Amino acid sequence: MKKSLLAATVASLCLPSFASFAADTTSDDVMVVTANRFEQPITSVLAPFNVVTRQDIDKVQAKTLTEVLSLLPGVQITQNGGRGQSSSIFVRGANSDQVLVLVDGIRMARSVAGNVDFNQIPLTQVQRIEFTRGARAAIYGSEAIGGVINIITLTGTDTPSKTKLDLGIGSHNYQEANVSGAYKIGDNSVLQVAAGYENDKGYNVHPQPGLNDGDKHGFDSRNASLALHHQFSDEISGFVATRWYKNHSQYAGSYYDSWDEVNNVPLDPSVPVHEYVRSETEFNDYSAGLKYAQDSYKSSLILDYQKQDNLDLIDKTNAVNRKDQYHQRNVQWHNQYQLLSTLSVSGGIDWRQEQWNDLTGFAGNKERDNTGYYAIGLWDYSPVSIETSVRLDDNQQYGTHSTYNIAGGWYLNDNIQLRGSYGTAFKAPNLYQLYVKSAWSTGNPNLNPETSKNIDVSLHADYDIASVAVTAYQMRIDDLIAYVGGTPSYDNVKGESKIKGVEVEADFDTGIITHQLNFDFKDPRDSEGQQLIRREKFSFKWVGTASYGDLDTAVTYQYHGKRPDISDIELPAYDTWDIALTYWLQPKLALKGRVANLLNEDYETAGGYVMPGRTYYTSINYQF
């Protein structure tokens, strides 16, 4: 049953006392690092910015990163079914590979094949998420067209000792067990540990009657992390850390074909081939860093190595559908100097080596290096702030590329600030698009980077009774890289894609009630003026939490408008309600329960792939 937006808004006004889902963006002591790569109060950030804390995640009892991100302004998630299935994130209508994803400030090893698999990031290891909308390529380089998501897992030497245990079950035979902790070792060291297990038997995410009846597409994960933080002196601190996970999932691979490549025999092209694929991913990350701070100067150095092994097997025959490896090595050196009380400058060097080993033997081993040099200036002289940044990327495969950004803020009075920015950005072709060789696609080594021009104008008003932000934006993107089915290969699309929109965010109280709302209106068009595939024009989200003695409550509502899909299919609008309850049996012992898709809405975010209906979860949490 469809509910109107008016009904959703009225409901939000009638629910009991709620606390905002996001961190309090009006508090001067909220410090963030993602916007400009150095620590600064969130109130000084000139780009649209949101923070999600560990407490926020626990309140809504999210099970996946995509569930958390879907609640943020300007974010749209599409997924090929339930837990563990392929998903995409569109920020402001930009493509999924036009959003830069960092883990602890280091980009994920995604430049090999484009999209990030958010299902592979254990939510139990996440301490907080920082989200910047708009172009940040002049600071971070490739991919930061629509925005930057920084998933932070590391704590610091000032973290108190604590342990957290979670055990849970749910629909589709869901099971989870997680333990995490941070432990003081002497006065200057903290050991951070986490380990987890998750298993979901799943359901048939892509039902094809008479072809894959009885199939279930599930997911299981094992993960662990370990980090040691040490304060060497008042000026110097450092860390070493490692993360590991191993995931298994199944997906629907049925198709129509005229030739059986395994048995080397012809097939009837009118008869679909049933294919059930088992996928395995194993990931290892090793990192170390040092920070130095004295008087007006700060410096940080981070080293990181990532390795990811991917294997897809066709069930019964065990034929290899995919077998490859990703390697990524990073070195980041960042410096900041406070020249005056009103003027700070920073800059640094990023070096990255990407490597793709196609173990099926078609594409072979491919690698490339990228070195980026950047500089940032921030001048803050009340009531005016100005931020500038410039970056040069030197890539072994496509040469040099420069980007820049300039932003300004002006306080019209003590409560209202006007902000504006203009910047350029780009997205480099990934190694798969450049070099893949298979029966379905051939790489194009002559691809050019995608480029964009981005404009933001916003008005922010902060009063005791409400905080409101209205942002208008426009992106113009050239040389989009697209798959050309007739060739089949990849090529740069001629013409300019245009995305323009307005975002509205509001936090306000009505008596003892607190609400967080965000609206997103946008017009995403390709170079031919057609609405971009799977991009909606309108969304509305509301999140709230309540406390009644020993009972905490969280309720979320989302509405997403209709949008086109492939093959000229139009996906209808849909809306969902979720509710989560936490009852504190003791000050450190909690019983939790959550119902997702409370009204059992039947909907798809990708054509042909059904999303889960109403699902239930319960868990027990102990902290000591």
Side-chain angles (χ1 to χ4, degrees):
M1 181 179 69
K2 295 292 180 184
K3 285 73 61 186
S4 68
L5 290 180
L6 176 61
T9 305
V10 170
S12 73
L13 298 174
C14 298
L15 288 170
S17 175
F18 284 90
S20 176
F21 169 72
D24 180 7
T25 57
T26 63
S27 175
D28 290 340
D29 60 359
V30 177
M31 304 297 289
V32 296
V33 297
T34 306
N36 292 300
R37 301 184 71 151
F38 57 80
E39 190 175 65
Q40 64 184 122
I42 196 171
T43 51
S44 70
V45 177
L46 296 178
F49 199 91
N50 299 87
V51 177
V52 182
T53 68
R54 181 71 242 178
Q55 292 75 22
D56 299 326
I57 297 170
D58 290 338
K59 287 176 184 176
V60 298
Q61 299 183 37
K63 299 299 179 183
T64 67
L65 261 174
T66 51
E67 289 179 345
V68 177
L69 297 174
S70 70
L71 298 171
L72 293 170
V75 172
Q76 179 190 348
I77 302 291
T78 67
Q79 190 157 328
N80 291 354
R83 183 73 176 100
Q85 300 302 308
S86 176
S87 60
S88 298
I89 179 170
F90 303 125
V91 175
R92 291 183 166 182
N95 286 340
S96 190
D97 60 359
Q98 294 170 341
V99 179
L100 178 62
V101 180
L102 312 172
V103 178
D104 297 315
I106 302 167
R107 68 176 58 222
M108 292 186 63
R110 61 178 286 188
S111 297
V112 172
N115 294 350
V116 168
D117 184 358
F118 288 100
N119 295 302
Q120 296 176 358
I121 306 174
L123 191 57
T124 55
Q125 295 181 12
V126 177
Q127 299 298 317
R128 63 192 270 136
I129 300 170
E130 296 184 358
F131 174 47
T132 314
R133 301 192 299 284
R136 308 308 280 177
I139 298 174
Y140 286 102
S142 175
E143 300 165 30
I145 293 178
V148 178
I149 299 169
N150 190 8
I151 302 162
I152 298 171
T153 68
L154 298 177
T155 59
T157 55
D158 56 349
T159 302
S161 294
K162 59 182 178 180
T163 301
K164 181 180 177 182
L165 298 172
D166 286 286
L167 296 173
I169 57 175
S171 300
H172 307 301
N173 293 314
Y174 178 82
Q175 302 172 23
E176 66 171 332
N178 301 288
V179 59
S180 60
Y183 308 99
K184 283 282 189 180
I185 304 175
D187 295 331
N188 300 317
S189 299
V190 168
L191 180 66
Q192 182 183 353
V193 297
Y197 165 78
E198 185 179 10
N199 190 357
D200 189 328
K201 297 300 182 183
Y203 63 98
N204 192 337
V205 301
H206 190 44
Q208 297 170 281
L211 177 62
N212 66 352
D213 298 336
D215 283 359
K216 288 187 176 181
H217 307 104
F219 174 82
D220 70 80
S221 173
R222 294 163 179 81
N223 62 81
S225 65
L226 180 68
L228 178 64
H229 308 263
H230 184 71
Q231 190 77 37
F232 294 97
S233 66
D234 291 341
E235 296 83 16
I236 301 174
S237 62
F239 76 91
V240 291
T242 182
R243 292 184 294 117
W244 168 86
Y245 59 72
K246 189 171 186 178
N247 296 342
H248 296 87
S249 62
Q250 302 89 43
Y251 64 87
S254 299
Y255 60 95
Y256 292 85
D257 202 356
S258 59
W259 192 262
D260 184 345
E261 295 185 358
V262 176
N263 299 307
N264 201 32
V265 295
L267 298 171
D268 184 347
S270 65
V271 178
V273 178
H274 175 241
E275 191 170 273
Y276 184 80
V277 183
R278 295 176 287 117
S279 180
E280 177 182 296
T281 299
E282 185 169 10
F283 175 84
N284 292 273
D285 177 90
Y286 308 93
S287 59
L290 285 173
K291 289 185 178 180
Y292 174 82
Q294 187 175 34
D295 299 328
S296 299
Y297 175 67
K298 297 179 181 179
S299 182
S300 66
L301 176 67
I302 297 177
L303 310 176
D304 179 78
Y305 169 70
Q306 301 175 40
K307 178 188 176 187
Q308 181 171 315
D309 291 275
N310 307 294
L311 176 64
D312 288 3
L313 296 175
I314 301 174
D315 200 27
K316 297 180 180 179
T317 65
N318 279 330
V320 175
N321 198 43
R322 173 193 182 191
K323 187 177 183 180
D324 59 9
Q325 289 180 338
Y326 304 162
H327 299 265
Q328 183 172 281
R329 298 165 179 85
N330 286 271
V331 179
Q332 297 181 183
W333 182 38
H334 180 75
N335 302 272
Q336 179 189 0
Y337 189 74
Q338 192 75 33
L339 290 173
L340 303 169
S341 61
T342 58
L343 177 63
S344 66
V345 294
S346 61
I349 301 173
D350 294 331
W351 175 83
R352 181 175 75 257
Q353 183 185 72
E354 304 159 345
Q355 183 178 347
W356 175 38
N357 298 337
D358 183 359
L359 301 180
T360 61
F362 291 106
N365 300 335
K366 302 296 182 181
E367 70 174 48
R368 66 181 178 189
D369 295 353
N370 187 96
T371 305
Y373 311 88
Y374 62 92
I376 307 166
L378 181 61
W379 181 69
D380 187 1
Y381 189 80
S382 184
V384 176
S385 298
I386 296 177
E387 170 199 303
T388 60
S389 55
V390 62
R391 180 179 171 109
L392 177 68
D393 282 273
D394 186 4
N395 190 281
Q396 183 179 6
Q397 189 273 327
Y398 60 82
T400 60
H401 200 95
S402 60
T403 49
Y404 65 90
N405 191 88
I406 182 167
W410 177 31
Y411 274 100
L412 305 179
N413 56 40
D414 291 340
N415 305 103
I416 300 176
Q417 186 186 33
L418 179 65
R419 301 176 184 175
S421 69
Y422 177 83
T424 60
F426 77 106
K427 200 281 293 184
N430 61 60
L431 292 177
Y432 187 89
Q433 293 167 333
L434 292 166
Y435 301 117
V436 65
K437 292 182 180 179
S438 71
W440 300 276
S441 184
T442 302
N444 180 359
N446 297 316
L447 288 173
N448 295 318
E450 303 172 351
T451 60
S452 77
K453 301 179 180 67
N454 300 48
I455 299 174
D456 272 61
V457 178
S458 60
L459 189 68
H460 296 251
D462 293 305
Y463 291 93
D464 292 336
I465 60 172
S467 295
V468 179
V470 180
T471 303
Y473 63 87
Q474 182 182 78
M475 291 186 283
R476 295 176 176 268
I477 306 173
D478 285 306
D479 287 331
L480 276 177
I481 299 172
Y483 178 72
V484 183
T487 311
S489 185
Y490 294 88
D491 204 355
N492 293 105
V493 177
K494 294 182 180 179
E496 186 178 64
S497 298
K498 300 177 183 179
I499 305 174
K500 56 185 178 181
V502 176
E503 298 164 341
V504 180
E505 301 173 73
D507 294 278
F508 61 93
D509 296 337
T510 54
I512 61 172
I513 304 172
T514 302
H515 313 271
Q516 185 194 33
L517 312 174
N518 68 75
F519 299 81
D520 183 20
F521 308 85
K522 61 177 173 288
D523 185 22
R525 301 283 177 178
D526 63 19
S527 58
E528 297 180 352
Q530 300 298 312
Q531 186 174 340
L532 289 170
I533 295 295
R534 294 181 178 170
R535 258 49 71 90
E536 63 199 10
K537 287 189 173 183
F538 175 74
S539 69
F540 167 76
K541 304 169 188 178
W542 169 75
V543 183
T545 61
S547 295
Y548 311 86
D550 295 328
L551 180 66
D552 297 334
T553 307
V555 180
T556 66
Y557 172 81
Q558 295 191 57
Y559 173 89
H560 295 273
K562 61 184 181 181
R563 56 248 174 261
D565 204 344
I566 57 177
S567 303
D568 296 324
I569 297 173
E570 183 177 79
L571 299 176
Y574 69 92
D575 54 358
T576 59
W577 289 88
D578 296 351
I579 184 169
L581 304 174
T582 301
Y583 183 73
W584 293 93
L585 302 170
Q586 298 177 6
K588 296 182 180 180
L589 180 64
L591 181 64
K592 296 186 174 185
R594 177 185 176 219
V595 183
N597 194 1
L598 180 65
L599 300 182
N600 201 26
E601 179 82 350
D602 183 14
Y603 68 100
E604 298 175 358
T605 60
Y609 292 88
V610 296
M611 295 298 288
R614 184 188 298 115
T615 52
Y616 304 88
Y617 302 95
T618 184
S619 63
I620 190 165
N621 169 263
Y622 183 51
Q623 303 177 50
F624 58 93

